[in-house]
């Protein structure tokens, strides 16, 4: 995690949890005010001048926002829970080159997994049995060759890819379309746990809940 003050960390989490604040707006606020703490304390008129919606401005001090930030701070106390920030040295370099790179990445597991050579495997959620078997075999062979197999933890090909890597004691990374406290689909809860236990990682750019 970057060397920032606890107050700035909390401010970034609060900014990140606001409705209608995506990567570009997050970076626009930090660029305009210098840091998240200053952005949060700026008057509503200053936010409106930057084109920020009222929905975000009004939620800055809500009880729901405070609760979400408290939950995230408690989550980060766990040894295997990490927060990578787009301006920190441990943020994935290639991802950071995107104009709309996620400002925060929540990671559960081994964050060093993100630095390994990766191959992404994605496909149909309703794949045929031969398709699932083929995906699993490909993933196993590639993982045995030293690649991290990256997929989305979804049903079908995604799950088969993760399982193929796990079967050969390889490394696999799941990039979720939900927060890390809302594993989806629910039937892949155990698969997600196995990924972490095997030295892989779960990753999400979304707030935990």
């Amino acid at each position: 995690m970057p060397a920032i003050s606890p107050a700035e960390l909390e401010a970034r989490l609060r900014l990140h949890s606001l409705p209608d604040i995506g990567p570009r707006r997050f970076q626009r606020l930090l660029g305009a005010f210098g840091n998240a703490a200053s952005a949060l304390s700026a008057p509503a008129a200053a936010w409106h001048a930057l084109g920020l919606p009222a929905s975000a401005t009004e939620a800055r001090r809500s009880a729901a926002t405070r609760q979400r930030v408290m939950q995230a701070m408690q989550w980060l106390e766990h040894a295997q829970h990490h927060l990578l920030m787009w301006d920190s040295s441990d943020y994935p370099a290639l991802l950071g080159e995107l104009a709309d790179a996620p400002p925060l990445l929540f990671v559960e597991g081994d964050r060093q997994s993100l630095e390994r050579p990766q191959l992404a495997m994605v496909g149909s959620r309703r794949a045929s049995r031969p398709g699932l078997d083929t995906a699993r075999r490909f993933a196993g062979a590639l993982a045995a060759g030293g690649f991290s197999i990256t997929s989305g933890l979804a049903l079908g090909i995604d799950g088969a890819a993760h399982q193929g890597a796990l079967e050969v004691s390889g490394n696999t990374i799941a990039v979720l379309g939900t927060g890390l406290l809302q594993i989806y689909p629910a039937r892949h809860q155990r698969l997600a746990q196995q990924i972490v236990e095997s030295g892989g990682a779960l990753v999400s750019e979304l707030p935990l809940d």
Side-chain angles (χ1 to χ4, degrees):
M1 193 176 296
I4 63 173
S5 69
E8 178 63 12
L9 170 59
E10 185 175 345
R12 288 194 180 196
L13 287 167
R14 195 192 323 174
L15 200 63
H16 182 256
S17 72
L18 296 179
D20 301 314
I21 296 293
R24 293 180 186 273
R25 285 174 172 170
F26 188 102
Q27 293 181 19
R28 189 185 310 164
L29 284 164
L30 263 61
F33 300 107
N35 54 58
S38 297
L40 286 169
S41 62
W47 279 44
H48 295 154
L50 290 173
L52 278 297
S55 58
T57 307
E58 295 166 359
R60 286 184 292 175
R61 296 172 181 84
S62 72
T65 296
R66 289 196 300 270
Q67 177 60 33
R68 179 175 277 181
V69 171
M70 184 181 302
Q71 181 184 51
M73 295 289 281
Q74 292 172 345
W75 184 85
L76 285 169
E77 293 175 1
H78 192 285
Q80 284 196 301
H81 295 171
H82 314 285
L83 184 66
L84 309 184
M85 304 189 186
W86 65 278
D87 56 352
S88 65
S89 60
D90 56 0
Y91 191 90
L94 290 176
L95 184 61
E97 293 181 6
L98 297 177
D100 58 349
L104 305 180
L105 285 178
F106 292 91
V107 179
E108 180 175 357
D110 183 5
R111 61 181 176 181
Q112 299 302 321
S113 294
L114 277 64
E115 299 299 330
R116 298 178 59 166
Q118 298 176 45
L119 282 172
M121 292 183 63
V122 295
S124 173
R125 286 167 171 75
R126 297 184 177 182
S128 65
R129 174 50 55 188
L132 294 172
D133 291 342
T134 299
R136 192 169 64 251
R137 287 197 300 270
F138 265 112
L142 292 165
F147 288 99
S148 289
I149 302 301
T150 301
S151 198
L153 201 69
L155 299 176
I157 296 298
D158 289 26
H162 292 305
Q163 290 167 348
L166 292 172
E167 287 170 1
V168 298
S169 300
N171 189 265
T172 184
I173 299 168
V175 181
L176 278 63
T178 58
L180 295 186
L181 293 180
Q182 299 290 340
I183 299 297
Y184 180 86
R187 72 177 71 174
H188 277 175
Q189 289 272 1
R190 177 57 185 153
L191 178 58
Q193 183 180 353
Q194 290 174 325
I195 289 172
V196 173
E197 291 173 350
S198 71
L202 309 178
V203 183
S204 177
E205 66 177 288
L206 302 173
L208 292 171
D209 60 354

